[in-house]
Amino acid sequence: MAGFVRGYARLPLPADLNWFWTIGAMLVAVLGLMVLTGLTLSLAYTPDAGLAFGSVEALERRLPSGWLLRAMHMTGASFCMAALYAHILRGLYYRSYLAPRRGIWLSGCTLLGLLMVTAFAGYVLPWGQMSYWGADVAGKAVGSIPLVGPLAERIFLGGEMPGTPTLHRMFTLHFSLAFLIVGVVGLHVALVHARGSSSPSGRAVPARGFLPFHPYFTVRDILAVLVFALVFVLVMCFWPGLITEPANYRPANPLHTPTDIEPEWYFLPFYGMMQVVPFKLGGVVLSGGAVALLFAVPWLDRGADKVRDRQAGVPHPEVCNIATAPDAAPDTVPDTAAADGPARTVLHGGDAGLGSDMGESGQMAHGGWSAPGRMSGSAWGATLALAMLMGAAVIAASAGRHHAQGGWLLAGRAAIAVYYAYFLVFLPLRGRAGKARP
C-alpha cells in the first residue's frame, strides 16, 4: 500500500495542467460521499410498493441525522452528474480522447453510462409521484423497441405496471452498480497512470516539463474540492429546490397522473429528444444515440492517428526527481535541449481542437495557438462548436421541460440537429483538417 501511495505521489504530470484538471478530484470526492451515505440509507429502506415511501419518511424523521444523510445523497447525485458532464466537456475541448488515450476516454464514457443507470434507479426508490410515473415512462420507452420490447418491458417492471417487483429490481441495480462504478473509477485512474495525462497546451512536453502529482497538484486538487464542498453545502442547505421535485414528496398514486412528468435535470436533454419526435421509437433511438456517440468520438476525430506511435508515452519517474531537484527547477531548464543531449518529448493528444501534429521544435505544426496566449482560428472554431453543443443540450432540456409544445418543438428539433452535427460533421472535419496539413 505504501508503495502504491509513493508511486501515485510521484506520478508525472504536465506542468501546464489548468484548473479543469481538478474536476476528476471533485468526482472522486462526491462519489465517495455517495457510496458512504447510500450504504447507510440502505439499512433503513424497504423496497416494497406499500412501504417504500413510509420508510424514506421514517429514515428522515426517526433515524439520527437521517435527514442530513438523505440530503447529502440527493445533492450528491446532481453534483456528481454535473461534474461528470463538465469532465467530458473538458475532454472534448482538449481532445483528451486521441491516441494513445482512447482507453481512458472509453472508460470515462462507460462510467457515464453506469452513473446514468444508477441515478435513474435511485430516482425510482423513494416511490413518490415522480418516481412511479418516471418508472412508467421508462417502461413504455423500453417497450417501444421492436420484437423484444414487450418482453423487455415486463422484465424491467416485473409486470404490467410499476410495483413491488420494480422496486426490488431498482434497489438491486442501484446497490450493486455502486460497487461496479468504484471499480471502473479505479480502472480509469490506472489507465491515466499507464498512458499519462494529456496536456492542455497541445505541445510536445519536454522531459523537464513534468511535475510530480504531490505536492504540486494535490494542493490545487484539495483547494478545488473545498470550493466544490462549499457550493455543495450552500445548495443543500439554502437552495434545495434546485435539485428536488416537490411532487416526489407525495406518495405514488397510480390513479392520478401528474400534470408535468419530467425527470431530474441531468436527464432533461435526453427526455427532450424523446419529446420532439412524433413516434416513440424514434425518440428512444435519438436519446440513446446521443450517449452512444460519445463512445465513437475517438474514431470520429482521427486527427492524431499518424503521430500516435511517434514518441508517445509516459515519462519515467526519474523525470519527477529531475523536476524536484533544487538545482533543476522547471522554469530554468530549456525546453528544447538538456546538458547531455536533446530533451525527451512526449506527445499529448489534447489541444482544444487546435491540431495535434507537432514539429520537431515542439511547437504546433499547424492550427492551434499562433502565439503564446493567443488563439488561432481553429481554436476559436473548436470553442464555438463546443459552445453550440452546450447550447443545444440546454435547449433540448428546455424543450423537454416544456413538453415540446409550441415553439419548443422546433427549437428542440434544431437542438438535436446541432448536437448530432457536432459529432457527425464537426469532429470528422476537424480530424481531416489535421491530417491534410503538412
Side-chain angles (χ1 to χ4, degrees):
M1 184 65 180
F4 172 79
V5 173
R6 284 195 298 270
Y8 194 91
R10 294 176 61 190
L11 175 68
L13 297 172
D16 61 349
L17 294 187
N18 57 40
W19 285 91
F20 289 113
W21 265 256
T22 63
I23 298 175
M26 301 178 194
L27 270 170
V28 171
V30 73
L31 279 173
L33 177 68
M34 293 287 289
V35 170
L36 292 176
T37 55
L39 287 173
T40 307
L41 293 172
S42 67
L43 299 176
Y45 178 74
T46 305
D48 183 274
L51 303 173
F53 186 85
S55 69
V56 172
E57 290 294 307
L59 68 86
E60 282 195 332
R61 300 173 186 274
R62 299 178 184 177
L63 184 71
S65 300
W67 64 271
L68 180 60
L69 289 172
R70 186 167 183 239
M72 288 193 295
H73 198 72
M74 293 171 60
T75 308
S78 288
F79 273 70
C80 182
M81 294 302 297
L84 187 56
Y85 285 159
H87 201 53
I88 289 176
L89 287 172
R90 189 220 74 187
L92 288 172
Y93 184 74
Y94 290 107
R95 300 176 87 182
S96 300
Y97 48 80
L98 294 177
R101 297 176 183 83
R102 287 175 177 169
I104 299 175
W105 176 263
L106 293 177
S107 64
C109 292
T110 302
L111 182 60
L112 171 64
L114 291 174
L115 279 170
M116 292 177 76
V117 174
T118 306
F120 174 77
Y123 185 66
V124 174
L125 294 182
W127 211 237
Q129 273 289 75
M130 286 298 173
S131 297
Y132 177 89
W133 290 102
D136 185 69
V137 170
K140 287 181 171 58
V142 172
S144 68
I145 301 174
L147 301 178
V148 299
L151 176 61
E153 181 181 3
R154 286 194 295 272
I155 294 175
F156 174 76
L157 296 177
E160 299 296 330
M161 58 187 298
T164 297
T166 310
L167 279 175
H168 278 286
R169 284 160 170 74
M170 295 299 104
F171 180 71
T172 302
L173 197 63
H174 189 70
F175 191 87
S176 58
L177 284 185
F179 298 98
L180 182 58
I181 287 170
V182 172
V184 174
V185 170
L187 173 64
H188 189 73
V189 173
L191 288 172
V192 172
H193 276 243
R195 295 299 185 182
S197 176
S198 59
S199 169
S201 68
R203 301 173 185 269
V205 182
R208 297 187 180 185
F210 290 88
L211 292 173
F213 178 70
H214 179 77
Y216 295 98
F217 297 99
T218 51
V219 172
R220 186 161 61 180
D221 283 351
I222 291 172
L223 178 59
V225 170
L226 289 176
V227 174
F228 184 76
L230 176 61
V231 178
F232 183 99
V233 172
L234 289 175
V235 172
M236 181 180 70
C237 295
F238 296 101
W239 301 291
L242 294 175
I243 57 173
T244 57
E245 180 60 52
N248 221 30
Y249 286 95
R250 293 194 293 269
N253 183 1
L255 302 179
H256 176 69
T257 305
T259 305
D260 294 318
I261 301 176
E262 60 186 47
E264 293 283 7
W265 68 266
Y266 41 81
F267 288 134
L268 274 175
F270 310 102
Y271 184 67
M273 292 180 184
M274 296 176 62
Q275 291 282 310
V276 300
V277 178
F279 56 101
K280 191 177 298 183
L281 178 61
V284 172
V285 171
L286 279 178
S287 57
V291 179
L293 275 176
L294 293 172
F295 288 87
V297 163
W299 291 273
L300 293 172
D301 179 4
R302 301 172 65 90
D305 278 1
K306 65 179 180 180
V307 296
R308 65 181 176 181
D309 296 324
R310 187 178 56 176
Q311 295 181 325
V314 181
H316 191 273
E318 290 179 359
V319 170
C320 291
N321 295 337
I322 293 174
T324 55
D327 57 346
D331 57 351
T332 63
V333 179
D335 285 349
T336 56
D340 55 351
R344 174 187 173 193
T345 59
V346 181
L347 288 180
H348 283 273
D351 54 356
L354 317 178
S356 57
D357 300 334
M358 290 58 154
E360 294 301 324
S361 65
Q363 301 298 318
M364 296 298 296
H366 59 266
W369 301 89
S370 56
R374 187 163 54 188
M375 296 173 65
S376 70
S378 60
W380 283 113
T383 303
L384 177 61
L386 191 67
M388 292 178 66
L389 175 69
M390 296 170 61
V394 172
I395 292 174
S398 300
R401 190 176 186 87
H402 292 86
H403 303 284
Q405 295 178 354
W408 286 110
L409 177 61
L410 295 178
R413 290 176 177 175
I416 293 175
V418 172
Y419 182 94
Y420 274 83
Y422 178 87
F423 293 98
L424 300 179
V425 178
F426 173 72
L427 289 185
L429 290 177
R430 182 185 191 181
R432 290 174 186 172
K435 286 183 177 183
R437 300 183 184 181

